């Protein structure tokens, strides 16, 4: 979406309303081709696995008693996670995506939907092409219905007719988009369990950057973030979600999209101004070491629901 719709990221194309959908369509088809290639050629000998890693926030209805808010929150998830996961696990794009993009395309006078379609053969070829689901997750939003007039320039962001809100009480230790909302992760993992037949899950990205750099590398916000989110994964395990592994994002400070080296997600601080790029452990390193050594939290009361 940022590469082919808004142009914020490489390759910087601003193909409003259709670019992101086309790019995603090709990604899903090529993913399936790679899976089949491995399955047919290498699996018997290597006994490996091929999956896909998808990043998604969680959308929580502003008013859980409002059907329109619940529907909007459902659209939020389907337009993020379901966009890719639904074809792979269920054979096609989510119905709500097809309906909304198709309706808006018709209102624009287009003969076909801006959301591409899979042929019957492609649906069969794509469905089931994941031995595990990688999940990148960082934050949550409250969601409510918001109608965008169809006369506006079409875009992925206006197609799903919703608005995103945050609770000002949510901690925001890092960038302005990344609020710490651990309970959203448990709900997302349970959604995956219900929607996609409880697949094998590896958490491939979960972490927070810091905006204010502490000279003593005392990243207390990251420690609290990791504690909260890993705790919710343990609760999801108790719920029966099939989470097999967890990867904190990230080991080192690094080049972060269009933020360059200014946004630091690392457990280890990198001095980019020094030509040798020395690495210094932040306080979260010792904390995370303890979690690893205990394979969770040492105190069983930490995982109480």
């Amino acid at each position: 979406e940022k590469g082919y719709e808004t142009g914020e990221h490489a390759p910087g194309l601003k193909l409003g309303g259709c670019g992101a959908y086309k790019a995603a369509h090709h990604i899903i088809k090529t993913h399936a081709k790679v899976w089949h290639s491995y399955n047919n050629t290498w699996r018997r000998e290597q006994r490996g696995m091929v999956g896909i890693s998808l990043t998604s926030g969680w959308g929580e209805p502003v008013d859980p008693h409002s059907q329109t808010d619940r529907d909007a929150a459902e659209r939020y998830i389907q337009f993020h996670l379901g966009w890719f996961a639904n074809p792979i696990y269920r054979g096609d794009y989510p119905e709500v995506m097809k309906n909304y993009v198709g309706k808006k395309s018709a209102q624009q006078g287009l003969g076909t939907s801006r959301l591409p379609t899979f042929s019957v053969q492609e649906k069969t070829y794509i469905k089931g092409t994941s031995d595990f689901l990688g999940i990148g997750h960082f934050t949550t939003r409250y969601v409510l219905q918001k109608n965008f007039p169809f006369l506006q320039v079409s875009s992925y962001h206006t197609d799903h007719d919703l608005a995103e809100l945050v609770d000002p009480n949510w901690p925001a230790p890092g960038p302005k988009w990344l609020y710490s909302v651990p309970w959203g992760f448990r709900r997302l993992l349970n959604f995956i369990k219900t929607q996609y037949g409880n697949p094998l899950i590896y958490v491939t990205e979960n972490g927070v950057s810091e905006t204010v750099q502490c000279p003593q590398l005392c990243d207390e916000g990251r420690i609290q973030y990791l504690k909260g989110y890993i705790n919710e994964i343990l609760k999801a395990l108790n719920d029966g979600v099939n989470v097999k592994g967890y990867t904190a994002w990230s080991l080192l400070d690094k080049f972060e999209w269009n933020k360059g080296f200014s946004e630091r997600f690392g457990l280890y601080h990198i001095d980019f101004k020094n030509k040798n790029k020395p690495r210094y452990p932040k306080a979260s390193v010792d904390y995370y070491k303890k979690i690893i050594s205990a394979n969770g939290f040492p105190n069983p009361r930490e995982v109480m629901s």
Side-chain angles (χ1 to χ4, degrees), residues 61 63-64 66-79 96 100 143-145 160-162:
D63 179 0
S66 161
Q67 187 62 49
T68 55
D69 283 2
R70 290 203 304 270
D71 291 344
E74 173 79 13
R75 286 198 302 280
Y76 176 92
I77 297 296
Q78 296 295 357
F79 268 79
V96 71
Y100 269 69
V143 180
L144 73 163
Q145 168 86 23
H160 35 36
D161 277 352
L162 57 85

Side-chain angles (χ1 to χ4, degrees), residues 179-190:
Y179 292 81
S180 180
V181 195
W183 53 261
F185 202 5
R186 182 185 185 183
R187 298 187 185 195
L188 176 65
L189 291 169
N190 273 281

Side-chain angles (χ1 to χ4, degrees), residues 106-154:
Q107 288 172 342
Q108 293 174 278
L110 301 176
T112 56
S113 175
R114 287 181 282 104
L115 182 69
T117 55
F118 294 114
S119 68
V120 174
Q121 290 84 356
E122 286 172 339
K123 290 177 185 177
T124 304
Y125 188 72
I126 292 164
K127 186 178 180 182
T129 57
S130 203
D131 304 316
F132 66 88
L133 179 60
I135 285 293
H137 174 76
F138 294 91
T139 194
T140 284
R141 293 288 185 267
Y142 280 121
V143 180
L144 73 163
Q145 168 86 23
K146 180 181 179 181
N147 293 328
F148 289 91
F150 67 85
L151 294 174
Q152 281 187 294
V153 177
S154 64

Side-chain angles (χ1 to χ4, degrees), residues 15-291:
L15 307 173
C18 62
Y21 295 134
K22 284 183 179 179
H25 200 68
H26 292 310
I27 288 170
I28 293 163
K29 291 204 288 185
T30 48
H31 161 78
K33 188 165 187 176
V34 170
W35 186 92
H36 281 286
S37 172
Y38 186 86
N39 193 55
N40 296 333
T41 309
W42 302 106
R43 188 187 297 274
R44 184 175 297 149
E45 177 187 343
Q46 296 181 351
R47 301 186 182 180
M49 294 194 299
V50 177
I52 192 166
S53 183
L54 306 176
T55 301
S56 179
W58 173 250
E60 182 76 9
V62 168
D63 179 0
H65 303 294
S66 161
Q67 187 62 49
T68 55
D69 283 2
R70 290 203 304 270
D71 291 344
E74 173 79 13
R75 286 198 302 280
Y76 176 92
I77 297 296
Q78 296 295 357
F79 268 79
H80 285 82
L81 179 68
W83 185 5
F84 294 87
N86 222 71
I88 290 169
Y89 284 96
R90 305 180 77 167
D92 199 3
Y93 290 121
E95 286 300 316
V96 71
M97 272 193 87
K98 294 195 288 185
N99 292 341
Y100 269 69
V101 181
K103 178 181 66 178
K104 301 229 172 204
S105 300
Q107 288 172 342
Q108 293 174 278
L110 301 176
T112 56
S113 175
R114 287 181 282 104
L115 182 69
T117 55
F118 294 114
S119 68
V120 174
Q121 290 84 356
E122 286 172 339
K123 290 177 185 177
T124 304
Y125 188 72
I126 292 164
K127 186 178 180 182
T129 57
S130 203
D131 304 316
F132 66 88
L133 179 60
I135 285 293
H137 174 76
F138 294 91
T139 194
T140 284
R141 293 288 185 267
Y142 280 121
V143 180
L144 73 163
Q145 168 86 23
K146 180 181 179 181
N147 293 328
F148 289 91
F150 67 85
L151 294 174
Q152 281 187 294
V153 177
S154 64
S155 84
Y156 165 77
H157 275 293
T158 57
D159 279 341
H160 35 36
D161 277 352
L162 57 85
E164 301 173 28
L165 304 174
V166 297
D167 184 333
N169 293 318
W170 288 344
K176 60 184 179 180
W177 62 271
L178 210 173
Y179 292 81
S180 180
V181 195
W183 53 261
F185 202 5
R186 182 185 185 183
R187 298 187 185 195
L188 176 65
L189 291 169
N190 273 281
F191 175 88
I192 292 166
K193 173 190 170 187
T194 303
Q195 288 278 310
Y196 308 125
N198 202 15
L200 177 64
I201 295 172
Y202 286 92
V203 178
T204 44
E205 291 186 31
N206 175 242
V208 67
S209 65
E210 71 258 18
T211 47
V212 180
Q213 198 174 305
C214 174
Q216 290 80 35
L217 304 179
C218 48
D219 55 342
E220 181 62 28
R222 179 176 287 106
I223 289 172
Q224 291 307 314
Y225 181 97
L226 290 171
K227 179 178 181 179
Y229 276 76
I230 294 171
N231 208 352
E232 292 298 315
I233 296 169
L234 291 173
K235 292 177 186 176
L237 278 166
N238 288 338
D239 297 335
V241 180
N242 191 12
V243 182
K244 186 73 170 179
Y246 173 86
T247 313
W249 188 263
S250 61
L251 179 66
L252 310 170
D253 291 337
K254 74 224 171 306
F255 191 84
E256 185 64 34
W257 299 96
N258 56 339
K259 302 294 186 202
F261 297 113
S262 65
E263 195 163 312
R264 295 173 175 269
F265 274 89
L267 296 167
Y268 283 83
H269 173 83
I270 308 296
D271 182 358
F272 292 112
K273 294 175 182 174
N274 185 313
K275 68 172 185 176
N276 294 322
K277 309 291 187 289
R279 307 167 181 183
Y280 303 101
K282 302 174 187 177
S284 53
V285 168
D286 277 340
Y287 183 76
Y288 194 50
K289 279 180 179 178
K290 290 173 184 172
I291 292 175

